[in-house]
């Protein structure tokens, strides 16, 4: 079992908060797609013997690709890899790209899941973030996606956008629930240094993120979605029963995956590869049939820390027996007092050697994982 991630490094415009790898110059879009198809061929041995259960087109904005470009990538995957009979094939999409014709095309091509970058339904917040779509486009595309037959939709939201009160966030949540998607991902606004917001923060043009405001909105998110029947299966990811994203779950369950395209990462259980995050360098290398990546072998400490970091954020939690058996790390003994304190304070539960954080604990998941980290030798 394995997954494929395809990074499409182009966007119409730069959202002010975004530090993903992308370019707004789309002149070489088709060249890039051909290069990524070439990488899919060259990297085929990376997943030799594996069956692909999830294919994820992310970015950037993969919904910018036209029929021929999407078809080339999908055909290459089916030609080069063994794909399961019911793979999850996701396209990340922005509402302004999802016309009725485009939605029908995506269905015909075999995409069976859309992850739609809505972020907010409130027009002033869309403008604040520099999103390219409107409130109306966001609502329309979800409705039309359902009409053309998509029954596995995810929408992305952002909370903690500065506002005098919580009314906009509560309205955003209510609108998201009323659209009834199978999956909702909600992320706290963060201000990264190399973004427009990062620059504006340095020049005091925007306020920093208010941690208390963000924590309140996170609580509203968790309780609001729970009341609407969504399960929080990871800190930022919620789904209706049995609609977890295979792609996301693969990352958290140590499943192998190949990432292709500039800046994409790959993981084979023991090492990680990081493709160059530069479109020109990527294109030049692929023109020579070379994949430009850096490689890192994971130490025992890396593997333990990654496991703790990812699994503590999920509803599955950490399997302490697995940690001991596979990674020779007895967390239950090494951190006995700390674990007992978490349980006493209602932050964690321990059942059948599974350490799972409660909702209150999930709010602190990254900090708790960091407290558990082991040092590299
Ligand atoms: S948030 Fe998405 S659409 Fe906006 S710049 Fe980043 S990758 Fe592009």
């Amino acid at each position: 079992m394995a997954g494929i991630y395809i990074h499409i490094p182009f966007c119409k415009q730069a959202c002010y908060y975004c530090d993903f790898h992308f370019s707004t110059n789309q002149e070489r879009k088709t060249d890039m797609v051909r290069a990524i198809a070439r990488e899919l061929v060259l990297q085929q041995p990376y997943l030799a013997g594996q069956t692909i259960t999830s294919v994820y087109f992310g970015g950037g904005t993969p919904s910018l690709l036209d029929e021929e470009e999407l078809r080339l990538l999908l055909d290459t995957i089916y030609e080069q890899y063994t794909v399961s009979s019911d793979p999850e094939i996701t396209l990340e999409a922005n509402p302004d790209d999802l016309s009725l014709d485009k939605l029908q095309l995506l269905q015909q091509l075999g995409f069976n899941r859309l992850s739609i970058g809505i972020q907010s339904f409130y027009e002033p917040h869309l403008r604040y973030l520099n999103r390219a779509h409107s409130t109306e486009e966001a609502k329309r595309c979800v409705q039309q996606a359902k009409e053309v037959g998509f029954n596995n939709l995810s929408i992305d939201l952002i909370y903690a956008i500065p506002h005098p009160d919580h009314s906009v966030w509560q309205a955003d949540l209510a609108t998201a629930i009323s659209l009834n998607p199978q999956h909702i991902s909600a992320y706290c606004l963060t201000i990264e240094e190399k973004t427009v917001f990062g620059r504006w923060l340095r020049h005091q043009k925007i306020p920093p993120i208010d941690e208390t405001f963000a924590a309140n909105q996170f609580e509203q998110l968790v309780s609001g979605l729970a009341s609407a029947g969504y399960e929080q299966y990871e800190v930022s990811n919620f789904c209706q029963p049995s609609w977890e994203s295979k792609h996301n779950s693969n990352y958290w369950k140590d499943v192998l995956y190949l990432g292709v395209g500039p800046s994409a990462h790959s993981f084979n259980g023991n090492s990680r590869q990081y493709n160059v995050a530069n479109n020109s360098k990527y294109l030049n290398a692929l023109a020579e049939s070379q994949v430009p990546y850096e490689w890192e072998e994971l130490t025992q400490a890396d593997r333990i820390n990654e496991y703790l970091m990812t699994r503590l954020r999920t509803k599955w939690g950490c399997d302490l027996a697995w940690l001991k058996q596979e990674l020779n790390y007895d967390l239950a003994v090494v951190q006995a007092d700390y674990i007992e304190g978490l349980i006493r304070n209602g932050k964690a539960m321990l059942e059948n050697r599974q350490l799972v954080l409660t909702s209150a604990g999930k709010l602190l998941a990254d900090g708790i994982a960091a407290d558990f980290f082991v040092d590299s030798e």
Side-chain angles (χ1 to χ4, degrees), residues 11 13-15 17-18 20 22 59-61 94 131:
C11 292
Q13 61 193 50
C15 302
Y17 57 90
C18 181
F20 293 152
F22 67 91
T61 311
N94 282 339
R131 297 291 299 175

Side-chain angles (χ1 to χ4, degrees), residues 10-313:
F10 300 103
C11 292
K12 271 185 199 160
Q13 61 193 50
C15 302
Y16 292 155
Y17 57 90
C18 181
D19 73 341
F20 293 152
H21 171 69
F22 67 91
S23 165
T24 52
N25 179 350
Q26 294 180 45
E27 269 171 30
R28 303 200 66 190
K29 178 162 70 77
T30 301
D31 291 342
M32 180 60 74
V33 170
R34 291 189 185 132
I36 293 174
R38 205 167 307 132
E39 188 188 351
L40 279 165
V41 176
L42 293 168
Q43 295 273 50
Q44 190 272 343
Y46 195 84
L47 296 182
Q50 297 288 333
T51 300
I52 309 303
T53 55
S54 149
V55 177
Y56 192 96
F57 285 60
T61 311
S63 52
L64 290 173
L65 300 192
D66 62 25
E67 176 174 357
E68 210 176 311
E69 293 163 342
L70 291 167
R71 211 180 271 284
L72 173 63
L73 294 172
L74 287 167
D75 287 351
T76 308
I77 289 171
Y78 277 95
E79 280 160 20
Q80 298 291 327
Y81 297 84
T82 307
V83 181
S84 74
S85 56
D86 61 341
E88 177 185 274
I89 306 187
T90 305
L91 183 93
E92 263 180 15
N94 282 339
D96 42 309
D97 294 326
L98 292 179
S99 63
L100 188 55
D101 286 350
K102 186 69 170 259
L103 285 163
Q104 284 164 340
L105 169 70
L106 295 172
Q107 267 276 310
Q108 286 158 14
L109 288 173
F111 288 95
N112 52 28
R113 185 169 183 273
L114 296 178
S115 173
I116 306 176
I118 288 176
Q119 320 311 355
S120 174
F121 294 98
Y122 183 58
E123 208 68 48
H125 280 184
L126 292 173
R127 302 288 75 79
Y128 181 75
L129 301 172
N130 201 36
R131 297 291 299 175
H133 65 270
S134 67
T135 301
E136 275 323 297
E137 281 173 318
K139 292 182 187 166
R140 177 206 44 82
C141 75
V142 176
Q143 297 293 7
Q144 286 187 334
K146 287 184 190 172
E147 282 160 25
V148 306
F150 280 100
N151 67 353
N152 191 356
L153 295 175
S154 179
I155 64 178
D156 280 3
L157 298 175
I158 292 180
Y159 62 93
I161 301 171
H163 197 75
D165 57 36
H166 296 304
S167 57
V168 170
W169 177 235
Q170 284 168 348
D172 275 353
L173 275 176
T175 306
I177 290 166
S178 73
L179 291 169
N180 198 27
Q182 285 71 23
H183 189 281
I184 296 175
S185 299
Y187 301 97
C188 185
L189 180 64
T190 52
I191 300 189
E192 308 294 341
E193 209 181 316
K194 291 181 184 157
T195 61
V196 173
F197 276 170
R199 195 170 67 241
W200 286 356
L201 182 64
R202 283 195 296 283
H203 293 108
Q204 298 176 348
K205 284 188 179 171
I206 56 167
I209 302 301
D210 179 333
E211 301 288 336
T212 309
F213 184 75
N216 286 339
Q217 295 203 342
F218 181 75
E219 280 164 19
Q220 291 164 22
L221 167 75
V222 173
S223 63
L225 292 188
S227 309
Y230 288 83
E231 183 184 27
Q232 184 183 24
Y233 71 105
E234 197 264 356
V235 171
S236 307
N237 287 277
F238 303 78
C239 68
Q240 293 177 346
S242 78
W243 287 105
E244 291 97 352
S245 153
K246 280 189 196 169
H247 169 77
N248 293 356
S249 303
N250 281 354
Y251 285 151
W252 306 318
K253 289 183 172 174
D254 241 19
V255 172
L256 313 196
Y257 60 86
L258 169 69
V260 293
S263 82
H265 298 179
S266 305
F267 170 68
N268 71 358
N270 299 311
S271 67
R272 286 194 187 283
Q273 287 182 195
Y274 306 89
N275 280 4
V276 65
N278 179 301
N279 287 5
S280 300
K281 286 184 183 165
Y282 179 85
L283 287 166
N284 291 342
L286 265 297
E288 308 281 324
S289 293
Q290 300 293 324
V291 181
Y293 65 81
E294 287 185 2
W295 177 87
E296 169 192 42
E297 183 155 0
L298 298 176
T299 63
Q300 185 81 341
D302 291 336
R303 293 199 59 199
I304 293 168
N305 293 343
E306 284 195 11
Y307 182 81
L308 293 168
M309 190 67 169
T310 51
R311 289 294 292 243
L312 278 174
R313 293 175 60 91

